[in-house]
Amino acid sequence: MACTALTKGRGLLCSKTTGGIKNVYFAVYDEVLATTIVDSELTNIDMGASSLYRYTLPMGTGTFSDAITGDRAAGSLFYAPTLNIVLNKLSKEDQNEIKILASNRVICFAELNSTLANGHNVIVAMGIENGMELNGGTMDSGATFGDRNGYTLNLTGMEKVPSQIVIDYTTTPFDNADDSGAIPIDPS
C-alpha cells in the first residue's frame, strides 16, 4: 500500500529552459532563526538582523544538483544537495572568506538562469534543515598566460526533503522572503 497517492501527472513542458547559476547567496546556518515551507516553497526566512552574502559567478561555471538516495531494505530516503561554484582571481581577501565559509554550516541559495513566467529568476534553497558544508575544492592557476586562476568550491548537504524553491520576489531577490521586511544582502 502506498504511503501517499500521486496527485497529478506531468505533460511535456516547453523545451525552452536555461541551465546554470547566476548568483549564490550564503546564510550562516546558526543565524537563521526560522523558516516556513508551504508545498515545497520556502515562503519565509527569518534572518533577524543577519545578512545574506551574495557571490556572483562567472557565466557557465556554477552547478546545483539534489541526488535522491533510497534504500528499499532500510525503508529510507534522503536527498543530497550539492553546489559547485567557481570564483575567478586569487586574493587574500577571498582566501580569508573561504576559510570562514569552510568553518561554518551555511544555507545556500542558488539564483538560477532559469526564469519564471514574469521574468524573475528561480531561486533554490539548499540545506534548510541540516545546513551545507564546504567539503572540497581547489585553489589553482593555469599554466599559460590566458588560463584562469581562482577557486573551485564544493558544498554538500544531507536532507530529509528535497531542496525548496524560494517564494517569487517582488522586485529584487529576497525582498519579500522575510515577514519582517527585505533581507539585507552583502554586497547590496
Side-chain angles (χ1 to χ4, degrees), residues 44-59:
N44 186 56
I45 310 161
D46 185 352
M47 297 281 298
S50 298
S51 296
L52 288 174
Y53 299 94
R54 179 179 57 215
Y55 286 61
T56 301
L57 305 183
M59 188 178 292

Side-chain angles (χ1 to χ4, degrees), residues 74-148:
S76 63
L77 180 72
F78 67 92
Y79 298 82
T82 301
L83 179 65
N84 299 302
I85 63 174
V86 170
L87 305 172
N88 286 338
K89 193 174 181 184
L90 300 171
S91 74
K92 66 180 180 185
E93 294 82 12
D94 285 340
Q95 189 73 5
N96 289 331
E97 285 300 313
I98 291 168
K99 283 179 7 186
I100 294 168
L101 181 63
S103 65
N104 285 284
R105 278 191 302 164
V106 293
I107 296 175
C108 302
F109 301 91
E111 182 182 356
L112 307 180
N113 287 319
S114 180
T115 57
L116 302 168
N118 62 7
H120 294 169
N121 293 87
V122 173
I123 300 175
V124 178
M126 296 160 268
I128 293 293
E129 188 173 323
N130 298 315
M132 302 275 288
E133 294 179 343
L134 178 59
N135 286 321
T138 61
M139 176 177 118
D140 53 18
S141 180
T144 67
F145 200 71
D147 286 349
R148 182 187 81 80

